[in-house]
Amino acid sequence: MLKKLFSRQDIATTVKDLGRRIENDFVNEEILFVCLLKGSFIFTSDLVRQVANPSRVDFMRVSSYGNQMTTRGNVEIIKDLEEDIEDKNVVIVEDIIDSGLTLSRVKDMLLTRKPKVLKICALIDKRCRREVEIEGDYVGFTIDDGFVVGYGIDYAEYYRNCPDICVVVEENEV
Ligand code: PRP
């Protein structure tokens, strides 16, 4: 079952704060937000409305593949950006950093396209699970291990529409 971890009010306050921090770093500058689908679609839509800078939004979808028998952390582009990011201020918007493999690969891919600045804004950082070195420049919540859903984050594609962020717990853990 689901146990509420962050309410919609907690999330709204945190997203507003993230927006302020981004604005402060990019005074009078244009920003291109890169929403990593699918998990970041709700976070991105709220975040960009908290940033007053002239902004554009583009979308990218990648899939991780690999298992113990192959190399873990391969990332394949399923849907690429439509915008050219060369010389742009780019902020990658990610719902959650877990092992860090996805973001690390995406960051490397986007850096080859020579953006002016490349920052990472992550709503949730599950730092204890990190397998590669990668840090968010703007991080909303840092959490311990645990399976979270809601606010765009899924379990088997469900719960993305849950307005709060919840942790999946066993009945006897409640
Ligand atoms: C989730 C999440 C991050 C990634 C984090 O995406 O949205 O992109 O996993 O994990 P990592 O740090 O271990 O790479 P997922 O692949 O489940 O796809 P989704 O966004 O479409 O739900």
Side-chain angles (χ1 to χ4, degrees), residues 37-39 61 94-102 154 160:
L37 297 170
K38 294 181 188 175
R61 177 152 167 74
E94 177 64 300
D95 51 331
I96 187 163
I97 315 178
D98 196 307
S99 69
L101 289 165
T102 305
D154 74 309
R160 293 194 198 272

Side-chain angles (χ1 to χ4, degrees), residues 95-157:
D95 51 331
I96 187 163
I97 315 178
D98 196 307
S99 69
L101 289 165
T102 305
L103 258 184
S104 142
R105 299 293 189 276
V106 168
K107 187 180 177 188
D108 288 348
M109 282 193 266
L110 295 189
L111 280 175
T112 65
R113 303 180 191 186
K114 300 186 170 49
K116 183 175 165 196
V117 175
L118 184 64
K119 300 276 192 188
I120 292 169
C121 180
L123 183 62
I124 300 172
D125 188 355
K126 240 197 239 183
R127 193 168 290 243
C128 59
R129 297 256 308 167
R130 204 69 98 253
E131 291 178 30
V132 290
E133 226 175 272
I134 183 122
E135 293 292 328
D137 298 286
Y138 314 99
V139 173
F141 305 106
T142 300
I143 63 167
D144 295 329
D145 204 2
F147 202 104
V148 292
V149 296
Y151 197 69
I153 304 169
D154 74 309
Y155 172 66
E157 292 299 325

Side-chain angles (χ1 to χ4, degrees), residues 11-139:
I11 299 168
T13 304
T14 295
V15 172
K16 197 168 184 176
D17 178 57
L18 290 169
R20 286 297 81 75
R21 290 165 56 195
I22 292 171
E23 280 182 342
N24 288 338
D25 282 358
F26 293 98
V27 177
N28 294 329
E29 298 231 30
E30 189 168 314
I31 303 172
L32 174 61
F33 289 95
V34 170
C35 170
L36 283 189
L37 297 170
K38 294 181 188 175
S40 304
F41 77 108
I42 293 177
F43 177 36
T44 303
S45 67
D46 282 346
L47 179 69
V48 297
R49 284 179 288 172
Q50 296 300 332
V51 176
N53 298 52
S55 299
R56 291 186 297 156
V57 185
D58 202 352
F59 301 86
M60 189 172 189
R61 177 152 167 74
V62 298
S63 88
S64 304
Y65 61 97
N67 53 40
Q68 287 88 339
M69 303 299 288
T70 61
T71 312
R72 256 200 88 213
N74 290 318
V75 166
E76 184 187 10
I77 298 178
I78 306 294
K79 186 223 168 289
D80 205 346
L81 297 176
E82 290 165 25
E83 301 280 343
D84 180 0
I85 65 167
E86 188 169 344
D87 279 333
K88 307 271 164 56
N89 296 313
V90 177
V91 176
I92 302 173
V93 185
E94 177 64 300
D95 51 331
I96 187 163
I97 315 178
D98 196 307
S99 69
L101 289 165
T102 305
L103 258 184
S104 142
R105 299 293 189 276
V106 168
K107 187 180 177 188
D108 288 348
M109 282 193 266
L110 295 189
L111 280 175
T112 65
R113 303 180 191 186
K114 300 186 170 49
K116 183 175 165 196
V117 175
L118 184 64
K119 300 276 192 188
I120 292 169
C121 180
L123 183 62
I124 300 172
D125 188 355
K126 240 197 239 183
R127 193 168 290 243
C128 59
R129 297 256 308 167
R130 204 69 98 253
E131 291 178 30
V132 290
E133 226 175 272
I134 183 122
E135 293 292 328
D137 298 286
Y138 314 99
V139 173

